[in-house]
Amino acid sequence: MQNTRQGDGSFVRKQNIIIDEEFRIYLPALSKETYEGLERQLLEHGARDPLVLWNNVLIDGYNRFKICTEHNIPFTTVSLEFDSREDALDWIIENQLERRNLTPLEMSHYRGMLFNSRKRVQGTNNQYTAKSENPQSEGKQGRSATAREIGERFKVSKATIERDGRLAEAVTAIAKVSLDAKRKVLSGEVPVDRSKLQRLSKASKEEIEDVANQIIEGTYNRKDHRIRTTLDEPKTQGNDVGTVGKGSTMNSPDVPERDYVDTIVSLITGNLNTTLKSLTDDGGIPELKSSLRTFISNLEELYSNIK
């Protein structure tokens, strides 16, 4: 079978295997060292694991496919059947979630992708869309239920899954600019705060490209870079709103590099740690656990009500 080289350097076997760019973005990118190690392994031992296809579209084994076609290494394929493109995307995500060597950030990324995928399907098939007096509310309730269900599966909160969804949107946007930038973020090679990634999901295309290019060039600084969104510009009235400590406000030059919400969370966490030490000495841990659980539940309820 004749091979043809695409403009981006990847290979597609004519009338056989198709590289779908959206699916490719979902698949993990390898570092240069890991890719070269896989290449040596395939050259020495051949391709023992089959590539996975759906309607001739490659859904697992992109790196093996590229190496095998470049070096004319024989390989086998296996085809899976899915009812829709969304089901195929779900399989890709689930397949990645089964990997045992995921970093915490990669796990968050794929949980978020799963949540976003289920949201899209739910939005398409929402039974309330035509007849509900408040379809937006019904949709929100459905998304909340989906987040809760996925959270229970992975033993994390509903709010965590919703944050993972925003993180996944940002990582996917970065991947559309550069797959290598995505790899550097998820591997931790270039540290990026989760909160900044989550806000990046609401950023403009230009801002996303700027961040991705900084990551590629090695000039990204997690302390200096702030994603400019409406979340960075809270409305204040006098000195009451935004106060984070005595003599300091959230838009004060005393905290120019810190995110407002992160500042509040840090202060709350600090006070709770102090309380924990005090209660530990007095044997009051059960009371603290009960209070914290109530506090977390209230926060999650507040979060779910934010439009």
Side-chain angles (χ1 to χ4, degrees):
M1 184 72 68
Q2 184 180 4
N3 295 334
T4 180
R5 182 184 293 273
Q6 292 190 137
D8 63 357
S10 63
F11 286 81
V12 175
R13 183 161 293 188
K14 285 184 177 179
Q15 298 179 342
N16 191 354
I17 293 179
I18 302 168
I19 301 297
D20 183 291
E21 286 305 312
E22 182 182 4
F23 286 178
R24 182 185 173 193
I25 286 175
Y26 275 42
L27 298 170
L30 301 182
S31 66
K32 180 181 178 182
E33 294 76 13
T34 304
Y35 184 89
E36 290 175 347
L38 177 62
E39 187 174 34
R40 288 192 298 270
Q41 183 184 53
L42 290 170
L43 285 169
E44 183 176 354
H45 302 291
R48 292 175 292 183
D49 298 322
L51 308 181
V52 183
L53 308 178
W54 168 65
N55 290 344
N56 289 335
V57 176
L58 186 64
I59 59 175
D60 185 52
Y62 170 79
N63 294 293
R64 282 178 287 136
F65 172 68
K66 183 175 180 181
I67 293 169
C68 287
T69 49
E70 284 178 338
H71 296 285
N72 291 317
I73 300 171
F75 59 84
T76 59
T77 64
V78 59
S79 295
L80 300 181
E81 296 295 328
F82 300 105
D83 292 334
S84 66
R85 181 180 181 86
E86 287 73 22
D87 288 344
L89 288 171
D90 255 11
W91 183 90
I92 293 174
I93 298 167
E94 292 281 7
N95 188 48
Q96 295 307 314
L97 283 167
E98 290 177 4
R99 292 166 54 201
R100 297 185 178 182
N101 59 341
L102 291 176
T103 67
L105 193 59
E106 286 174 328
M107 177 60 77
S108 292
H109 170 238
Y110 283 112
R111 286 192 315 233
M113 292 183 76
L114 184 63
F115 173 57
N116 293 339
S117 177
R118 300 280 170 83
K119 273 196 313 183
R120 283 195 296 271
V121 172
Q122 182 187 67
T124 302
N125 301 320
N126 188 351
Q127 62 178 314
Y128 299 103
T129 301
K131 62 183 180 181
S132 173
E133 293 181 0
N134 192 352
Q136 184 176 4
S137 175
E138 297 288 2
K140 186 184 296 184
Q141 290 177 16
R143 290 192 297 272
S144 180
T146 300
R148 185 176 291 106
E149 178 184 345
I150 296 174
E152 289 174 354
R153 171 183 168 184
F154 293 101
K155 296 179 173 57
V156 297
S157 70
K158 174 177 73 70
T160 294
I161 296 299
E162 290 170 336
R163 288 193 294 270
D164 288 346
R166 294 196 298 276
L167 184 147
E169 288 175 0
V171 171
T172 298
I174 289 173
K176 290 178 180 178
V177 179
S178 166
L179 286 171
D180 194 47
K182 168 194 169 183
R183 179 192 63 77
K184 289 183 176 182
V185 169
L186 291 181
S187 68
E189 182 179 332
V190 176
V192 181
D193 291 336
R194 285 172 179 258
S195 60
K196 288 187 172 67
L197 279 176
Q198 291 159 14
R199 288 196 306 280
L200 189 60
S201 66
K202 304 297 184 184
S204 67
K205 181 180 178 181
E206 290 74 18
E207 289 171 314
I208 293 169
E209 290 177 348
D210 180 50
V211 173
N213 289 328
Q214 288 182 36
I215 291 170
I216 297 166
E217 296 163 2
T219 59
Y220 180 86
N221 188 321
R222 64 186 296 185
K223 293 183 178 180
D224 292 342
H225 191 87
R226 291 188 64 194
I227 307 304
R228 297 301 302 172
T229 72
T230 55
L231 292 179
D232 291 329
E233 300 174 355
K235 296 179 181 179
T236 61
Q237 297 177 351
N239 292 326
D240 294 332
V241 179
T243 300
V244 296
K246 187 176 181 180
S248 174
T249 61
M250 285 167 49
N251 59 350
S252 164
D254 294 335
V255 286
E257 302 293 342
R258 302 182 67 180
D259 302 311
Y260 303 132
V261 174
D262 288 347
T263 300
I264 294 173
V265 171
S266 296
L267 288 168
I268 292 174
T269 303
N271 288 333
L272 287 175
N273 284 333
T274 301
T275 303
L276 175 60
K277 184 177 184 306
S278 174
L279 288 175
T280 300
D281 296 339
D282 296 338
I285 293 300
E287 290 81 359
L288 177 62
K289 281 190 170 182
S290 177
S291 297
L292 280 176
R293 174 48 55 197
T294 301
F295 179 57
I296 291 169
S297 297
N298 288 337
L299 282 178
E300 290 183 343
E301 181 66 24
L302 174 63
Y303 181 87
S304 66
N305 288 333
I306 296 176
K307 296 181 179 180

